[in-house]
Amino acid sequence: MTRFSISISVLSFLAMASVAHADPRKLAEEKQCLLCHTMENKVGRATAFKAIAQRYKGKADSEANLVQMVEKGGVGHWGYIPMPPAGWKRPDVSEAEARELVDWILALH
Ligand code: HEC
């Protein structure tokens, strides 16, 4: 009985955790990432998320560096147009949200 109820609560915890991360693409829309970025082919001022994944996937430190970039903005990685910091010209992004977005981008292929 105890073992059974423990596994039920583990399962429902996992279900809740996956609901919280259900749709990073929606989060990217809410945070206006897709106003500048595209998914596949660069059209606007910022590089496509797939190109970002191809450059950084599997490289040490890339997750941490990109999370910083999503929170603080930056320039010079792709060209001379800067990405503004979160909360300035684009919505605020928490560290957890930045991490979720970066993990999603790095998993694109
Ligand atoms: C106002 C336009 C704009 C918005 C909005 C924007 N970006 Fe960017 N982003 C850029 C530009 C321009 C660059 C390239 C900067 C550079 O060359 O270093 C960039 C670069 C990046 C990079 C690559 C960083 C690197 O070190 O190579 C990531 C990852 C990224 N953006 C994610 C996001 C996410 C996630 C959001 C939404 C929370 C977002 N961006 C919103 C313009 C934008």
Side-chain angles (χ1 to χ4, degrees):
M1 157 59 190
T2 12
R3 186 182 249 179
F4 179 70
S5 56
I6 286 172
S7 55
I8 291 289
S9 50
V10 166
L11 278 180
S12 49
F13 172 74
L14 287 178
M16 274 160 52
S18 60
V19 165
H21 296 259
D23 198 350
R25 194 194 156 109
K26 260 215 170 94
L27 184 61
E29 275 162 22
E30 272 164 34
K31 299 296 180 182
Q32 300 180 3
C33 314
L34 299 173
L35 290 188
C36 295
H37 292 274
T38 51
M39 297 304 295
E40 299 212 21
N41 298 308
K42 181 175 169 173
V43 178
R45 46 182 147 172
T47 190
F49 281 156
K50 273 194 184 166
I52 295 174
Q54 276 159 12
R55 184 188 279 186
Y56 295 107
K57 199 180 294 188
K59 297 216 173 112
D61 297 337
S62 55
E63 191 203 27
N65 291 336
L66 295 181
V67 167
Q68 274 267 317
M69 181 82 178
V70 171
E71 290 188 271
K72 309 240 159 76
V75 68
H77 303 90
W78 296 89
Y80 56 87
I81 303 176
M83 173 154 145
W88 187 72
K89 296 197 174 182
R90 62 183 177 92
D92 230 336
V93 179
S94 71
E95 198 193 331
E97 288 167 338
R99 194 167 294 279
E100 181 173 348
L101 289 164
V102 165
D103 290 346
W104 169 67
I105 292 166
L106 289 176
L108 296 172
H109 48 78

